[in-house]
Amino acid sequence: MNMKGVSGIACASIAIGIAAFFWHDVRNEKVPIPPANDAIATTPANKTTEVATSLVTTQTAAKDENLEDIRAQLRAHYGQHLSEPKIQIRLLEEMMRYLSAIDPEHWQENLLALLDLWFPEHGEALKQRLTALLDYKTFMEQERYTLKAMTPEERHAFIWAKRRELFGEDAEVIWQAEIRNYALATSLQQIDAGTGSPLSKVHTYSEVIQQTYEDQADLVLENRRQELTDRFLALPSIQADLQQQPASERYNTLRGIRAELGMNEDALNRWSELDRTRDQRWSKGEQYQAKRETILETYESGPDRDKALNQAAREILGQEMAEIIQAEEEAGYYRYERERVYGQN
């Protein structure tokens, strides 16, 4: 393994369970899941050094001369916080990916030995956490078809019952990000179903964000402002209201929504300009789409139809855009048939 891969092991950050079906981060990196009958290897305390020396050295260390560097990096990255449940899980995930990559047949034994060898002050707690983690992964694998057949509410309750069984009160800490996202998604559904103008709804939404993330709310807004704004704008009730508004009123509404979610004046001005540009593009797109439908009804498939479509695109959209549209349509993509989402496209 080269040093780039080694550095990635110690520095990667894993997002813990923000969706019901997924344990891993957005990169979808997979960790081997032991079969249900594959018991976790256990090692008596007085055998740990012997196992660590013989098994780790011959099976793992021989395949990666940088094992000691990994130990130092992991201790530096996680060592001061290993009493925290979420950090324990992140460490175990890191080590599982690393060890299973270099020695797939013995990664569990190696991991158990290394936990005692590298983190003796937390070894027992980490092994207990590992047992729960592997049991949880096995559960998710075995129940995947059952989970798919459930409603979101049933799935949520079923998974959380298992998490609390395996992790106790620590489950609330380990999956804190998911809890907050679930609460926010539930609030958005309620906001969407409620009455009121888009500006009154976004004010409620802003309050929900503050209540959900508490002292981290400002940081969350700073880092995820566009995502949170898009989630609100995509609500069917918001889009319905924006669609019914005259353009000038819609521009003010969109500006008010973004301002409520903390965008500064420069950003608001840039977005307002983009809203107007998008409206102009869609107006031309609608003209082209109407002309295109007429051409399709008038001409049989062939060179004459293609020529008429290209000419219409050039006249309405301009040469540069016409070339883009032609390439897209040849690939089977028709951009002006997609849904218009005000504030997003």
Side-chain angles (χ1 to χ4, degrees), residues 212-227:
T212 300
Y213 293 98
E214 299 176 332
D215 57 341
Q216 298 180 28
D218 290 344
L219 180 60
V220 169
L221 271 171
E222 183 67 27
N223 293 333
R224 298 172 54 191
R225 195 183 317 279
Q226 193 57 53
E227 172 204 339

PDB file of all heavy atoms in Angstrom, residues 212-227:
ATOM      1  N   THR A 212     -33.304  22.454  15.888  1.00  0.00           N
ATOM      2  CA  THR A 212     -32.760  21.122  15.630  1.00  0.00           C
ATOM      3  C   THR A 212     -31.273  21.055  15.909  1.00  0.00           C
ATOM      4  O   THR A 212     -30.786  20.103  16.533  1.00  0.00           O
ATOM      5  CB  THR A 212     -33.028  20.717  14.166  1.00  0.00           C
ATOM      6  OG1 THR A 212     -34.439  20.713  13.932  1.00  0.00           O
ATOM      7  CG2 THR A 212     -32.461  19.337  13.864  1.00  0.00           C
ATOM      8  N   TYR A 213     -30.535  22.065  15.474  1.00  0.00           N
ATOM      9  CA  TYR A 213     -29.072  22.021  15.581  1.00  0.00           C
ATOM     10  C   TYR A 213     -28.527  22.838  16.751  1.00  0.00           C
ATOM     11  O   TYR A 213     -27.325  22.802  17.016  1.00  0.00           O
ATOM     12  CB  TYR A 213     -28.439  22.482  14.268  1.00  0.00           C
ATOM     13  CG  TYR A 213     -28.708  21.525  13.134  1.00  0.00           C
ATOM     14  CD1 TYR A 213     -29.730  21.763  12.221  1.00  0.00           C
ATOM     15  CD2 TYR A 213     -27.969  20.363  12.988  1.00  0.00           C
ATOM     16  CE1 TYR A 213     -29.996  20.878  11.187  1.00  0.00           C
ATOM     17  CE2 TYR A 213     -28.225  19.479  11.958  1.00  0.00           C
ATOM     18  CZ  TYR A 213     -29.246  19.738  11.070  1.00  0.00           C
ATOM     19  OH  TYR A 213     -29.509  18.849  10.047  1.00  0.00           O
ATOM     20  N   GLU A 214     -29.392  23.602  17.405  1.00  0.00           N
ATOM     21  CA  GLU A 214     -29.050  24.347  18.619  1.00  0.00           C
ATOM     22  C   GLU A 214     -27.781  25.174  18.421  1.00  0.00           C
ATOM     23  O   GLU A 214     -27.722  25.993  17.511  1.00  0.00           O
ATOM     24  CB  GLU A 214     -28.930  23.355  19.788  1.00  0.00           C
ATOM     25  CG  GLU A 214     -30.231  22.615  20.061  1.00  0.00           C
ATOM     26  CD  GLU A 214     -30.098  21.579  21.141  1.00  0.00           C
ATOM     27  OE1 GLU A 214     -28.993  21.040  21.334  1.00  0.00           O
ATOM     28  OE2 GLU A 214     -31.119  21.286  21.812  1.00  0.00           O
ATOM     29  N   ASP A 215     -26.753  24.942  19.255  1.00  0.00           N
ATOM     30  CA  ASP A 215     -25.565  25.798  19.191  1.00  0.00           C
ATOM     31  C   ASP A 215     -24.737  25.587  17.918  1.00  0.00           C
ATOM     32  O   ASP A 215     -23.822  26.367  17.634  1.00  0.00           O
ATOM     33  CB  ASP A 215     -24.679  25.580  20.421  1.00  0.00           C
ATOM     34  CG  ASP A 215     -24.252  24.134  20.584  1.00  0.00           C
ATOM     35  OD1 ASP A 215     -24.892  23.245  19.987  1.00  0.00           O
ATOM     36  OD2 ASP A 215     -23.277  23.886  21.315  1.00  0.00           O
ATOM     37  N   GLN A 216     -25.052  24.530  17.153  1.00  0.00           N
ATOM     38  CA  GLN A 216     -24.341  24.289  15.900  1.00  0.00           C
ATOM     39  C   GLN A 216     -25.097  24.829  14.686  1.00  0.00           C
ATOM     40  O   GLN A 216     -24.660  24.662  13.551  1.00  0.00           O
ATOM     41  CB  GLN A 216     -24.105  22.790  15.714  1.00  0.00           C
ATOM     42  CG  GLN A 216     -23.236  22.157  16.788  1.00  0.00           C
ATOM     43  CD  GLN A 216     -23.034  20.670  16.563  1.00  0.00           C
ATOM     44  OE1 GLN A 216     -23.071  20.184  15.438  1.00  0.00           O
ATOM     45  NE2 GLN A 216     -22.836  19.934  17.633  1.00  0.00           N
ATOM     46  N   ALA A 217     -26.225  25.465  14.924  1.00  0.00           N
ATOM     47  CA  ALA A 217     -27.084  25.891  13.814  1.00  0.00           C
ATOM     48  C   ALA A 217     -26.376  26.841  12.855  1.00  0.00           C
ATOM     49  O   ALA A 217     -26.491  26.693  11.624  1.00  0.00           O
ATOM     50  CB  ALA A 217     -28.354  26.532  14.358  1.00  0.00           C
ATOM     51  N   ASP A 218     -25.654  27.822  13.383  1.00  0.00           N
ATOM     52  CA  ASP A 218     -24.979  28.781  12.507  1.00  0.00           C
ATOM     53  C   ASP A 218     -23.931  28.093  11.641  1.00  0.00           C
ATOM     54  O   ASP A 218     -23.785  28.406  10.444  1.00  0.00           O
ATOM     55  CB  ASP A 218     -24.326  29.886  13.342  1.00  0.00           C
ATOM     56  CG  ASP A 218     -25.354  30.813  13.975  1.00  0.00           C
ATOM     57  OD1 ASP A 218     -26.518  30.792  13.522  1.00  0.00           O
ATOM     58  OD2 ASP A 218     -25.011  31.531  14.930  1.00  0.00           O
ATOM     59  N   LEU A 219     -23.188  27.163  12.230  1.00  0.00           N
ATOM     60  CA  LEU A 219     -22.165  26.442  11.473  1.00  0.00           C
ATOM     61  C   LEU A 219     -22.808  25.560  10.405  1.00  0.00           C
ATOM     62  O   LEU A 219     -22.312  25.481   9.273  1.00  0.00           O
ATOM     63  CB  LEU A 219     -21.328  25.581  12.422  1.00  0.00           C
ATOM     64  CG  LEU A 219     -20.200  24.767  11.776  1.00  0.00           C
ATOM     65  CD1 LEU A 219     -19.201  25.690  11.089  1.00  0.00           C
ATOM     66  CD2 LEU A 219     -19.505  23.896  12.823  1.00  0.00           C
ATOM     67  N   VAL A 220     -23.918  24.908  10.762  1.00  0.00           N
ATOM     68  CA  VAL A 220     -24.624  24.070   9.793  1.00  0.00           C
ATOM     69  C   VAL A 220     -25.119  24.917   8.624  1.00  0.00           C
ATOM     70  O   VAL A 220     -24.983  24.540   7.459  1.00  0.00           O
ATOM     71  CB  VAL A 220     -25.797  23.332  10.470  1.00  0.00           C
ATOM     72  CG1 VAL A 220     -26.699  22.675   9.430  1.00  0.00           C
ATOM     73  CG2 VAL A 220     -25.273  22.278  11.440  1.00  0.00           C
ATOM     74  N   LEU A 221     -25.691  26.061   8.919  1.00  0.00           N
ATOM     75  CA  LEU A 221     -26.162  26.944   7.855  1.00  0.00           C
ATOM     76  C   LEU A 221     -25.005  27.426   6.984  1.00  0.00           C
ATOM     77  O   LEU A 221     -25.142  27.530   5.756  1.00  0.00           O
ATOM     78  CB  LEU A 221     -26.896  28.140   8.455  1.00  0.00           C
ATOM     79  CG  LEU A 221     -28.395  27.962   8.678  1.00  0.00           C
ATOM     80  CD1 LEU A 221     -28.951  29.122   9.477  1.00  0.00           C
ATOM     81  CD2 LEU A 221     -29.140  27.826   7.355  1.00  0.00           C
ATOM     82  N   GLU A 222     -23.897  27.720   7.602  1.00  0.00           N
ATOM     83  CA  GLU A 222     -22.740  28.192   6.850  1.00  0.00           C
ATOM     84  C   GLU A 222     -22.243  27.118   5.878  1.00  0.00           C
ATOM     85  O   GLU A 222     -21.903  27.402   4.730  1.00  0.00           O
ATOM     86  CB  GLU A 222     -21.617  28.579   7.808  1.00  0.00           C
ATOM     87  CG  GLU A 222     -20.375  29.158   7.134  1.00  0.00           C
ATOM     88  CD  GLU A 222     -20.646  30.504   6.482  1.00  0.00           C
ATOM     89  OE1 GLU A 222     -21.560  31.225   6.940  1.00  0.00           O
ATOM     90  OE2 GLU A 222     -19.937  30.841   5.514  1.00  0.00           O
ATOM     91  N   ASN A 223     -22.210  25.864   6.360  1.00  0.00           N
ATOM     92  CA  ASN A 223     -21.650  24.776   5.557  1.00  0.00           C
ATOM     93  C   ASN A 223     -22.659  24.148   4.597  1.00  0.00           C
ATOM     94  O   ASN A 223     -22.260  23.566   3.583  1.00  0.00           O
ATOM     95  CB  ASN A 223     -21.092  23.685   6.478  1.00  0.00           C
ATOM     96  CG  ASN A 223     -19.883  24.149   7.261  1.00  0.00           C
ATOM     97  OD1 ASN A 223     -19.149  25.032   6.823  1.00  0.00           O
ATOM     98  ND2 ASN A 223     -19.665  23.571   8.425  1.00  0.00           N
ATOM     99  N   ARG A 224     -23.947  24.261   4.922  1.00  0.00           N
ATOM    100  CA  ARG A 224     -24.961  23.537   4.131  1.00  0.00           C
ATOM    101  C   ARG A 224     -26.068  24.468   3.647  1.00  0.00           C
ATOM    102  O   ARG A 224     -27.167  24.016   3.348  1.00  0.00           O
ATOM    103  CB  ARG A 224     -25.565  22.415   4.982  1.00  0.00           C
ATOM    104  CG  ARG A 224     -24.575  21.357   5.427  1.00  0.00           C
ATOM    105  CD  ARG A 224     -25.209  20.399   6.431  1.00  0.00           C
ATOM    106  NE  ARG A 224     -26.436  19.799   5.929  1.00  0.00           N
ATOM    107  CZ  ARG A 224     -27.280  19.110   6.686  1.00  0.00           C
ATOM    108  NH1 ARG A 224     -27.044  18.936   7.967  1.00  0.00           N
ATOM    109  NH2 ARG A 224     -28.393  18.600   6.161  1.00  0.00           N
ATOM    110  N   ARG A 225     -25.770  25.735   3.525  1.00  0.00           N
ATOM    111  CA  ARG A 225     -26.819  26.712   3.216  1.00  0.00           C
ATOM    112  C   ARG A 225     -27.534  26.398   1.901  1.00  0.00           C
ATOM    113  O   ARG A 225     -28.754  26.431   1.825  1.00  0.00           O
ATOM    114  CB  ARG A 225     -26.233  28.127   3.158  1.00  0.00           C
ATOM    115  CG  ARG A 225     -27.318  29.210   3.202  1.00  0.00           C
ATOM    116  CD  ARG A 225     -26.742  30.592   3.075  1.00  0.00           C
ATOM    117  NE  ARG A 225     -25.548  30.812   3.849  1.00  0.00           N
ATOM    118  CZ  ARG A 225     -25.525  31.089   5.151  1.00  0.00           C
ATOM    119  NH1 ARG A 225     -26.659  31.161   5.828  1.00  0.00           N
ATOM    120  NH2 ARG A 225     -24.386  31.294   5.776  1.00  0.00           N
ATOM    121  N   GLN A 226     -26.768  26.065   0.865  1.00  0.00           N
ATOM    122  CA  GLN A 226     -27.393  25.809  -0.422  1.00  0.00           C
ATOM    123  C   GLN A 226     -28.254  24.554  -0.376  1.00  0.00           C
ATOM    124  O   GLN A 226     -29.367  24.513  -0.920  1.00  0.00           O
ATOM    125  CB  GLN A 226     -26.330  25.677  -1.520  1.00  0.00           C
ATOM    126  CG  GLN A 226     -26.903  25.731  -2.926  1.00  0.00           C
ATOM    127  CD  GLN A 226     -27.694  27.009  -3.159  1.00  0.00           C
ATOM    128  OE1 GLN A 226     -27.205  28.113  -2.939  1.00  0.00           O
ATOM    129  NE2 GLN A 226     -28.935  26.870  -3.604  1.00  0.00           N
ATOM    130  N   GLU A 227     -27.749  23.519   0.267  1.00  0.00           N
ATOM    131  CA  GLU A 227     -28.524  22.274   0.396  1.00  0.00           C
ATOM    132  C   GLU A 227     -29.833  22.525   1.143  1.00  0.00           C
ATOM    133  O   GLU A 227     -30.909  22.084   0.715  1.00  0.00           O
ATOM    134  CB  GLU A 227     -27.702  21.232   1.146  1.00  0.00           C
ATOM    135  CG  GLU A 227     -28.476  19.968   1.500  1.00  0.00           C
ATOM    136  CD  GLU A 227     -27.887  19.228   2.684  1.00  0.00           C
ATOM    137  OE1 GLU A 227     -26.700  19.429   3.001  1.00  0.00           O
ATOM    138  OE2 GLU A 227     -28.631  18.444   3.310  1.00  0.00           O
TER     139      GLU A 227
END
